[in-house]
Amino acid sequence: MRRVLLPHHISDDPAPAGGAIRDFAGRSMGTSWSVRLVAAPADALDHLQYGLQQQLDAIVAEMSHWDSDSDLGRFNRAEAGSWQALPPAFFDVLSFAMEVARDSGGAYDPCAGALVNLWGFGPYGRFDQPAFTPPSADEIAVARTQQAAAGVRLEREGRKALQPGGAQLDLSAVAKGYGVDRLAYYLKTQGVGHYLVEVGGELRGAGVKPDGQPWWVALEEVPGADAHGPAPLVLALHGLAVATSGDYRRYFELDGRRYSHTIDPRSGMPIANDLASVTVVHGQCMAADAWSTALTVLGAEQGLALAERQGLAARFVARGAGGYTEHLTSHLRGMLDE
């Protein structure tokens, strides 16, 4: 049996008369992207494929930690004590990421790139390469000390960021979500108001399909949890975005232990709590993306408490001896169609 989540606010703006669904797709950020939109028969949209791809290419050029020539890569290599002018989008995304870092008590930290690299989840020395070995306790301690000392500061006048020396930014927990928002904004500028945007599994929808139905999407389930977990949830993605963080997505196993790609910046270690996944529903996909990561690091109890304080619509799926258990924030429970 499936359960249904409905938005609190529903627009009565209909899809274009005689409209049909058009599909666009491509690759970026090491993953795939897709857009489904409703267009009238006379709409000329051939330019959208290039325009959509161009939006994501611009994000990669600014914020990729895989591309050493990106603006982020140049910041990571900048001299200690230097102020670096950042492109507007990069500055805004980093500002938001640092706000989540503050509000989560450091459970998420865009300045934890050195730790991510140490654990083999960065662009080099990867966990899936033959020579990889997990970092020692001393290496982790050094990276944490450098991270604590590396106080990246932002100055809105001139959109500048201080490289204190050795700070390694990593925006991978927010960039995909921002990419979804960027595509949604671009579609709006092109006069498209009914769409479903997806980048690497993160989604945002607006308007309705030609039949008047919303864009129905299933919340991502933990693999293998269907027989021992809560009933699936289906969301009407109407003016909303959704992102899921799960420890099953990227990990490696060594000596019988699983090491998740989600690193707790406070300890320098991959998370090892009871959570299998956290899903956040929000008006902005960037926020859903960042908060799903922060709440995953905090664990079910602390994460749920913080999500309630922040007014987030979130779903926590935890592993237990008897299977999987689900915890919903009050804001998400309020969306249930019961």
Side-chain angles (χ1 to χ4, degrees), residues 96 173 241-244 279-282 284-293:
F96 176 78
V242 61
T244 297
T279 297
V280 175
V281 179
H282 197 281
Q284 283 191 310
C285 199
M286 177 171 67
D289 200 3
W291 275 113
S292 65
T293 298

Side-chain angles (χ1 to χ4, degrees), residues 180 184 193-197 203-207 215 236-242 283:
V180 170
H194 302 264
Y195 56 79
L196 177 67
V197 173
L203 297 142
R204 177 169 172 169
W215 304 96
L237 206 58
H238 179 87
L240 293 171
V242 61

